[in-house]
Amino acid sequence: MNSGFRTLKALFNYAGVIPNPISVAGKRNGVSFSSEPRNTFLRSDQIKGLIASFGRSAWAADPRSPDHVSFLLFVLLTGCRKSEALNLCWKDVKEREITFLNTKNKRDHTIPNVGMITDVLASRRRSDAEPEDRVFLLTDDRLKIRLKESRETGFLGDWTTHDLRRTFAEHSSLAGIDPHQIGMALNHTPVGVTTKSYLGGNLAKLPSLRRMYQLYQSQLMSYLMGKDDNQGIDADYRGEDKNGIFQDQIIAAFPNYYEFRNPGILDLDQ
């Protein structure tokens, strides 16, 4: 029943009905229609599995076909909302920046295009792509079907796309990133006079997020070495055979990450 009342409350809010009759009825009768916040996030072994799956299939996949694995990894890497990733078009992807337009809080959100994020997008780049084409070629309904099929085969656990956003925040914090930076990366509505009125530009935001992504991506890559999420940040994956993942395969899948993390590393074998 609470779910039905929450839906009605959301509809009245969307319609701009003030005061919301559901809220009024709840206060009058001392009833709360809110639900407990969901706190599900992926653990290190689940993250390792997602990265490994992308590493095995990224360059064999046809970028003209929808791919939910690259979509899920993109959400994990950026912390963006599902709708923001689904609606992302190539015109909004620049060499060094990505901009999500008309987000939930009505503000465009620009993030750096770096490391593993660049690699995921490169795997989806098509030579005939038009600026208005969507990057992942997925609709919400098609994504739901793909996720359902993946859960039935055991590829995905009992987690949602939004849980990837929580995972981004949780493991960023684990890597030692402060809550202000995490909130900035998640595009949460700023609070406080200084943040709202004086730090609204991207001049400091983008360099700050670049440093944050370097730490966060290293945190995720350390799981490929067998580190778990109780051990904090560690060195990058360096070649051990972990669960069938080989160094050349990982570097082939994430060349921009390795160049971003260690400039010149890809020239060592030349």
Side-chain angles (χ1 to χ4, degrees), residues 188-258:
H188 285 161
T189 301
V191 296
V193 174
T194 302
T195 306
K196 293 174 66 174
S197 302
Y198 295 95
L199 295 176
N202 287 333
L203 185 62
K205 172 185 174 182
L206 292 177
S208 177
L209 289 184
R210 284 180 66 86
R211 292 189 294 271
M212 172 184 172
Y213 287 169
Q214 186 176 38
L215 287 174
Y216 173 65
Q217 291 179 18
S218 292
Q219 177 76 13
L220 300 188
M221 278 299 215
S222 74
Y223 299 149
L224 293 179
M225 287 189 68
K227 303 298 180 182
D228 63 42
D229 43 29
N230 294 316
Q231 295 175 287
I233 196 165
D234 205 301
D236 295 3
Y237 180 73
R238 278 289 179 267
E240 290 88 348
D241 178 10
K242 299 290 185 182
N243 297 330
I245 306 168
F246 295 92
Q247 181 184 29
D248 57 349
Q249 187 178 64
I250 294 300
I251 291 181
F254 299 104
N256 287 284
Y257 164 77
Y258 277 96

Side-chain angles (χ1 to χ4, degrees), residues 46-64:
Q46 295 170 303
I47 293 172
K48 180 170 64 177
L50 183 56
I51 296 174
S53 179
F54 176 85
R56 285 191 293 265
S57 63
W59 304 108
D62 185 352
R64 293 168 296 181

Side-chain angles (χ1 to χ4, degrees), residues 99-118:
T99 300
F100 301 108
L101 302 176
N102 192 28
T103 63
K104 182 178 179 181
N105 62 13
K106 310 302 181 185
R107 297 184 303 134
D108 294 347
H109 178 43
T110 300
I111 63 172
N113 184 5
V114 294
M116 296 171 75
I117 298 172
T118 307

Side-chain angles (χ1 to χ4, degrees), residues 2-268:
N2 268 10
S3 176
F5 280 117
R6 287 197 298 272
T7 300
L8 283 174
K9 182 179 178 181
L11 289 173
F12 281 123
N13 285 336
Y14 182 79
V17 176
I18 301 175
N20 189 309
I22 302 300
S23 298
V24 172
K27 291 179 180 179
R28 182 180 300 153
N29 295 284
V31 177
S32 173
F33 300 120
S34 62
S35 60
E36 288 296 319
R38 183 181 171 101
N39 293 313
T40 307
F41 59 88
L42 276 64
R43 301 302 300 259
S44 53
D45 58 331
Q46 295 170 303
I47 293 172
K48 180 170 64 177
L50 183 56
I51 296 174
S53 179
F54 176 85
R56 285 191 293 265
S57 63
W59 304 108
D62 185 352
R64 293 168 296 181
S65 301
D67 176 36
H68 67 292
V69 175
S70 61
F71 175 88
L72 294 173
L73 185 55
F74 181 79
V75 175
L76 175 67
L77 292 171
T78 62
C80 71
R81 296 178 176 89
K82 178 179 71 172
S83 60
E84 293 167 355
L86 286 175
N87 294 325
L88 182 66
C89 297
W90 285 115
K91 66 180 177 62
D92 305 315
V93 178
K94 310 301 182 186
E95 182 179 358
R96 293 176 59 84
E97 299 175 0
I98 301 165
T99 300
F100 301 108
L101 302 176
N102 192 28
T103 63
K104 182 178 179 181
N105 62 13
K106 310 302 181 185
R107 297 184 303 134
D108 294 347
H109 178 43
T110 300
I111 63 172
N113 184 5
V114 294
M116 296 171 75
I117 298 172
T118 307
D119 292 317
V120 171
L121 293 175
S123 75
R124 303 305 305 158
R125 178 74 71 173
R126 310 178 303 280
S127 59
D128 60 346
E130 297 292 335
E132 298 296 330
D133 287 349
R134 286 178 292 110
V135 172
F136 294 102
L137 302 177
L138 286 165
T139 62
D140 191 34
D141 287 340
R142 181 175 288 182
L143 176 63
K144 289 176 180 177
I145 292 172
R146 292 292 183 92
L147 295 181
K148 182 176 183 292
E149 292 172 346
S150 293
R151 291 189 183 98
E152 290 173 350
T153 60
F155 172 67
L156 295 183
D158 186 23
W159 47 266
T160 68
T161 307
H162 198 75
D163 290 335
L164 295 173
R165 186 167 159 85
R166 275 184 282 270
T167 301
F168 175 90
E170 191 74 23
H171 289 264
S172 292
S173 180
L174 187 62
I177 299 164
D178 68 74
H180 171 73
Q181 280 187 301
I182 296 172
M184 183 167 55
L186 292 172
N187 193 31
H188 285 161
T189 301
V191 296
V193 174
T194 302
T195 306
K196 293 174 66 174
S197 302
Y198 295 95
L199 295 176
N202 287 333
L203 185 62
K205 172 185 174 182
L206 292 177
S208 177
L209 289 184
R210 284 180 66 86
R211 292 189 294 271
M212 172 184 172
Y213 287 169
Q214 186 176 38
L215 287 174
Y216 173 65
Q217 291 179 18
S218 292
Q219 177 76 13
L220 300 188
M221 278 299 215
S222 74
Y223 299 149
L224 293 179
M225 287 189 68
K227 303 298 180 182
D228 63 42
D229 43 29
N230 294 316
Q231 295 175 287
I233 196 165
D234 205 301
D236 295 3
Y237 180 73
R238 278 289 179 267
E240 290 88 348
D241 178 10
K242 299 290 185 182
N243 297 330
I245 306 168
F246 295 92
Q247 181 184 29
D248 57 349
Q249 187 178 64
I250 294 300
I251 291 181
F254 299 104
N256 287 284
Y257 164 77
Y258 277 96
E259 187 63 29
F260 172 55
R261 188 75 174 84
N262 300 289
I265 189 174
L266 300 183
D267 300 327
L268 295 179

